Amino acid sequence: KQWYQRRVRVLTGGEQLAIRDLHKDIIMSVSWNYEGSIMSTTCKDKYLRLFDPRASSQLVAEVVSHLGAKGGKATWLTPTEKILSVGFGKSSEREIMLYDSRNLGKGPLVTRTIDQLSGLITPY
């Protein structure tokens, strides 16, 4: 199992938020925005989610991301409000997607297929 499945907890005004409890499957990546106010996660269930741990309703937005079986990873493009995710499409092609975190529900701003190789890409 991946280390953050059991150990990632966020202090939210005295309470701990267990990130694992807010996902239906294995968490693939966790990334904070430039200010540290919003956290993005990608999950094996193919969703990219945004959380505000300071709010009572922590889930800000979610969108279906990469549809491939291997899942994806995401990172914030600092200091903008854009999120770059990398993963695999339905046909196992590697792809990148660019999202605007303020309008995540509208889907990716840009989707590009990279190639057909099988190696994972880490967007750091």
Side-chain angles (χ1 to χ4, degrees):
K1 291 204 174 194
Q2 295 170 345
W3 67 269
Y4 41 80
Q5 279 298 297
R6 293 186 214 157
R7 291 180 173 76
V8 173
R9 295 191 181 273
V10 179
L11 189 60
T12 60
E15 294 181 26
Q16 285 189 10
L17 169 65
I19 303 304
R20 180 183 60 165
D21 298 340
L22 302 172
H23 294 81
K24 298 174 186 157
D25 209 336
I26 297 171
I27 299 169
M28 301 300 290
S29 71
V30 176
S31 179
W32 291 90
N33 70 348
Y34 184 69
E35 294 88 20
S37 58
I38 303 290
M39 177 179 58
S40 68
T41 64
T42 57
C43 184
K44 192 86 171 181
D45 67 1
K46 300 175 179 52
Y47 277 86
L48 169 64
R49 293 180 175 90
L50 299 183
F51 295 96
D52 182 356
R54 302 166 300 165
S56 59
S57 173
Q58 290 98 4
L59 182 63
V60 174
E62 68 180 354
V63 65
V64 174
S65 186
H66 303 279
L67 298 175
K70 292 185 181 180
K73 296 182 179 188
T75 190
W76 291 83
L77 299 177
T78 50
T80 68
E81 296 297 320
K82 304 289 190 279
I83 301 170
L84 177 74
S85 71
V86 295
F88 291 86
K90 280 185 184 178
S91 304
S92 296
E93 69 276 2
R94 296 193 302 182
E95 60 187 15
I96 60 172
M97 294 180 175
L98 181 68
Y99 294 92
D100 184 348
S101 65
R102 296 166 292 191
N103 295 313
L104 192 67
K106 292 186 178 182
L109 300 172
V110 177
T111 301
R112 295 284 185 264
T113 299
I114 300 171
D115 54 30
Q116 292 283 338
L117 298 176
S118 61
L120 297 173
I121 300 174
T122 303
Y124 309 111

